[in-house]
Amino acid sequence: MTNEIIVKLPEENYPIVIGEGVRQRFSELFKKHGQGRAFWLSDKNIVAAWDENLGGLCSNSHTDIIVMPPGEEQKQIATIERVCQILVTMGAERGDTLVACGGGVVGDIGGFAASVYLRGIPCVQIPTTLLAMVDSSIGGKTGVDLPEGKNLIGSFHQPAFVLIDVEFLKTLNGRQFRSGFAEVVKTALIGDASLYRSIEQGADDRCFQRDAATLIETITACVKFKADIVAQDEKEAGLRRNLNFGHTIGHALEALGNYAALSHGEAVFWGMTVAVDLSVQHGSLNHEIGQTIHQLLERYLKVIPAIHFRPKEVMDLILNDKKTKAGKPHFVLLEDIGKPIVTDQISNVILSNALEHLKHRMKRIKESS
Ligand code: GLY
C-alpha cells in the first residue's frame, strides 16, 4: 500500500509519498518534482545502518554524500556554513537540489542550508525517524538553535517532495520510536478522534512492533492532518500553533534536562499530561475525558524517564522564553479529543499548581513501574 498526500500551498503544491520500500521510487519522483542534480545530506548513523547508498536510495559513494555527525548539538549555524562550503566544493549550482535523508536534525539542517545556499535551492525531505515522518519533515520549518534557545534562527522552505519509507523505522531503537510516537498521540488529541480510538484499541502496539500496514495508516493520518494545517496557515499566524500542544511545558522540561535527560518526545509526553490538567482546570475539558487521556498517556510514561525539577524553574523558562517574552504564554488546551483551543488565560497560580501535580504524577508513575 502506498499513500500520497498533496500539501496545497498558494505558491506550489507538493506530494508526500508514504509506503513500505517507497525509497525505490526516488528517481521517478525526482525526475518529476526535483531539479538539476541531487546532492545528498545524511548523518553517520543513517549511513552506518543503511550503507553508503542509503538503502538503495542513491547510487553515490560515501564521498558524494555530505555525512554529518548525529545529534541536536549539530543544529548550529556553523553546521550550515560547513554544509554550504561542501556544496561549493562539490559544485552544486542554483539549479540543483539538496536531498536531506535522516531524522529531524538532518531535515532541519538540510532544509535551512537549501534555503540559503546560493540564495535558495530546492530541497527534498526523506525522513528516517518517526518524529521526522509525522512532524518535522512536513510543512517547511527549518532552522538551528542558539545558546539562548532552540530554533531561534531559521526559515520556511517547503520541500519539492517528501518520501516516507516505513522500512527506515526498522533500525530505530525503542526510545527513539517512542519519542516520535509522542507526536502521533499529539496529532490524535488535537485533530483526529478516530486516530485516538485506534491507538486506544492497540494500533500503538502494532506500530511499536513495526507492523508496516499500521505504520502506513497511522503516519498517513498524521501527515494528512498536518498537511491540512500547513495549507491553511503556512507561516504559523494562528491555526498552526495548535501543533504546539504539550510543547510549552515540554520544551521547558527538555531544557531543564539539558536536552539529554529527556528526548523531545519524552518531554512532550510529560508536557501533554500538564496540558490535559490545565484543560480540566481551565474548565474547557470534562474531568472524565481528562482521566481517559491520562490513562492512555500512562502507557508510555511508565517507561520514559522522569526528571527532578522545581515548578519555579519551569515557570521561569516559560515566562522568559524569547518567543513569548512580548506577551503572555499561550497554551494549547483541549475542549475534547480532537478539539484544541488556544488561550493566554492561564494564571501563574494555576500553572504552578499543575506543575506541582506533574511532580507528584512523575513520582507515582515511577514508583508503580
Ligand atoms: N512542529 C510544529 C510545526 O511544524 O509547526
Side-chain angles (χ1 to χ4, degrees), residues 163-175:
L163 188 53
I164 299 180
D165 188 341
V166 296
E167 277 186 0
F168 279 118
L169 298 174
K170 284 185 185 158
T171 56
L172 214 59
N173 68 37
R175 188 175 184 200

Side-chain angles (χ1 to χ4, degrees), residues 130-144:
L130 185 59
L131 186 131
M133 290 179 184
V134 297
D135 187 34
S136 61
S137 70
I138 302 147
K141 272 192 185 174
T142 80
V144 294

Side-chain angles (χ1 to χ4, degrees), residues 318-348:
I318 293 170
L319 300 172
N320 293 318
D321 186 319
K322 296 272 178 297
K323 289 186 195 156
T324 56
K325 212 169 180 177
K328 289 176 161 180
H330 286 75
F331 287 92
V332 183
L333 303 182
L334 295 177
E335 280 183 329
D336 199 350
I337 293 164
K339 281 203 186 132
I341 48 158
V342 178
T343 180
D344 62 359
Q345 298 301 306
I346 296 293
S347 72
N348 286 355

Side-chain angles (χ1 to χ4, degrees), residues 12 14 44 46 57 99 110 112 145 157 190 209 235 248-249 253 281 303 311-312 321 323 357 361 366:
E12 212 176 347
Y14 64 89
K44 281 188 181 142
I46 302 293
L57 258 172
V99 184
F112 190 30
D145 304 333
H157 190 55
I190 59 171
Q209 287 155 14
K235 303 274 167 72
T248 308
I249 306 285
L253 295 173
Q281 283 282 314
V303 281
K312 184 165 180 328
D321 186 319
K323 289 186 195 156
H357 205 97
R361 189 183 296 281
K366 290 298 121 190

